[in-house]
Amino acid sequence: MLAFAFPAYAQNFGDRLRRTVERAAESEVQRRADQETRRVTRCALGDQRCIDQARRDGNEVEIVDSRGSPVQGNGDTERDHPLITPYAGSVLRQRQAEAFNEYARIIGHDVPGRSVVTERLEGRLTRLRYDNPEGRSTLEISRNYRGALEAQGFRVDYECSGRDECGSIRNPGFNRINGMNLGVARDVRYFTGKLRWNDVDAYVSIAINPDVTFVHVLEATPMETGMVGVDAAAMAAGLERDGRIELQGIYFDTGRATLTAESTPALEQVAALLRNQPGLQLRVVGHTDSQGDFQDNVKLSQDRAEAVRLALMGRYGIDAERLTAQGVGPSVPVASNDTEEGRARNRRVELVKP
């Protein structure tokens, strides 16, 4: 009986194999047809603007090196930063790249081992975390990175080594401020500085413990504007519904209360809102994140709210009695201050109906 069943089984298997081959051939033909019809934009490695624009246009992105040869990987989530080659033998474990964000660069301590001093920067931000190769000291790794950067014109403006200089993990330090989690190791090193690269100022901060190296690069590039519209009618609806709105599109110089030119469209719409509703009165409320001194943050938020109020009065002729300014600092967060994303959401200006 088995002798008669075997040929039928073999025939069925042959039929299934033939259909599988036919389907694979059809898929390959379709894949090649898709390749012929798709739109591909070739972007140089590290050219994030090109990558972002291609994706907005609905194109596929092909990353190429300086010779025009394709680069393996997608070029913006699994690659080193083109500014600096990692220490030999390092393994890239994490990469976070943002086209525009704020970054708190650690530039010192008010007292060694105590509260850190930071400089707030804005621009294209790349955060990299590497596993260190075995048998290499933090000193050797640090000096190699520093030497490679200094060869390109880099200048160090702050450095520290060891917990006594760099600070205790119990104080608001590296991990809470900028995500450089150096753990409990006492053998830690950190340096930061600046160089001119690709026609912008690039700030590089590197922190090292025996196991891990963090490389953060902030390129002081301007933010793309015009991505979000501000509409007086939408403001009016939000105020009617909730009694308050977050004022989108308001920008200040880093750490200051000076409105930038990019704030003009939003201010114009607030002025239009007030002209459309002659009886409307508003309180302009400034908010900050929790980084830094509480009283300093309250003053900064008050100054920023007042800057918006004065701009509406001076540029657009809004009656002073219709506007008040209030700064509450970090007292009313809308997100966690433990992450950079949360802190960015907490830095805001609101319009509130009294």
Side-chain angles (χ1 to χ4, degrees):
M1 181 177 297
L2 292 175
F4 291 103
F6 179 77
Y9 169 80
Q11 183 176 2
N12 290 338
F13 177 78
D15 289 342
R16 289 197 299 272
L17 179 61
R18 176 179 54 78
R19 289 195 295 270
T20 299
V21 171
E22 289 175 349
R23 286 195 297 270
E26 291 173 357
S27 297
E28 177 63 16
V29 170
Q30 183 62 49
R31 185 185 69 83
R32 292 186 178 183
D34 290 342
Q35 285 182 328
E36 292 296 325
T37 58
R38 73 189 183 195
R39 293 179 297 173
V40 178
T41 299
R42 291 163 62 88
C43 296
L45 178 62
D47 188 351
Q48 194 63 40
R49 287 189 176 182
C50 174
I51 295 170
D52 293 341
Q53 184 61 53
R55 289 175 176 169
R56 285 195 293 272
D57 293 341
N59 296 351
E60 184 172 332
V61 179
E62 181 179 60
I63 306 300
V64 297
D65 59 22
S66 59
R67 295 171 295 182
S69 302
V71 174
Q72 296 300 316
N74 63 12
D76 67 338
T77 60
E78 298 178 353
R79 305 295 301 177
D80 308 312
H81 193 282
L83 173 60
I84 184 170
T85 301
Y87 185 89
S90 300
V91 178
L92 180 61
R93 291 302 185 190
Q94 186 176 13
R95 185 183 196 274
Q96 180 184 9
E98 299 165 300
F100 188 87
N101 208 338
E102 189 172 37
Y103 180 73
R105 186 173 74 113
I106 296 175
I107 56 173
H109 288 76
D110 54 4
V111 176
R114 298 302 182 98
S115 299
V116 298
V117 178
T118 63
E119 176 188 22
R120 292 189 177 183
L121 303 169
E122 293 181 348
R124 181 182 299 153
L125 177 60
T126 304
R127 306 172 194 254
L128 305 166
R129 179 171 65 83
Y130 295 95
D131 286 351
N132 298 334
E134 294 184 3
R136 302 295 183 178
S137 69
T138 59
L139 176 62
E140 180 180 4
I141 295 172
S142 176
R143 285 187 176 174
N144 270 270
Y145 275 109
R146 181 166 172 170
L149 287 165
E150 287 176 340
Q152 301 180 68
F154 180 78
R155 294 292 180 268
V156 173
D157 48 36
Y158 174 69
E159 62 181 323
C160 64
S161 61
R163 286 295 179 191
D164 291 341
E165 290 186 14
C166 296
S168 167
I169 60 173
R170 292 184 295 274
N171 294 327
F174 292 88
N175 189 31
R176 282 189 58 189
I177 291 175
N178 58 24
M180 290 178 164
N181 187 0
L182 292 174
V184 298
R186 295 196 61 82
D187 181 14
V188 297
R189 296 180 186 274
Y190 171 81
F191 68 86
T192 184
K194 180 176 73 171
L195 75 160
R196 193 70 181 172
W197 185 74
N198 275 1
D199 295 325
V200 300
D201 289 333
Y203 298 84
V204 182
S205 302
I206 296 180
I208 305 165
N209 72 18
D211 300 316
V212 177
T213 294
F214 293 88
V215 179
H216 290 181
V217 181
L218 187 290
E219 302 163 57
T221 53
M223 182 186 66
E224 292 186 57
T225 60
M227 305 299 286
V228 178
V230 181
D231 181 77
M235 290 183 188
L239 287 167
E240 182 65 26
R241 181 181 64 250
D242 303 320
R244 67 174 61 229
I245 58 168
E246 182 176 341
L247 184 53
Q248 302 287 342
I250 293 294
Y251 308 106
F252 299 92
D253 288 344
T254 303
R256 302 176 64 185
T258 305
L259 284 162
T260 67
E262 289 78 12
S263 302
T264 299
L267 292 170
E268 289 176 344
Q269 291 302 312
V270 177
L273 166 69
L274 289 162
R275 293 192 188 105
N276 292 340
Q277 300 187 39
L280 178 64
Q281 295 183 337
L282 292 175
R283 183 165 69 249
V284 183
V285 183
H287 300 263
T288 69
D289 60 32
S290 63
Q291 301 300 298
D293 180 77
F294 179 84
Q295 292 301 328
D296 288 345
N297 280 328
V298 171
K299 184 179 185 306
L300 177 62
S301 64
Q302 177 68 42
D303 291 346
R304 287 182 167 180
E306 186 66 20
V308 173
R309 175 177 177 271
L310 292 175
L312 291 169
M313 293 164 47
R315 299 185 200 177
Y316 304 102
I318 303 301
D319 192 330
E321 294 183 357
R322 301 180 63 189
L323 298 168
T324 58
Q326 179 183 10
V328 297
S331 301
V332 191
V334 293
S336 170
N337 278 299
D338 292 334
T339 66
E340 178 55 40
E341 292 77 12
R343 292 191 291 271
R345 290 183 59 194
N346 289 333
R347 298 186 293 268
R348 66 197 190 279
V349 173
E350 292 182 337
L351 300 179
V352 180
K353 293 177 68 174

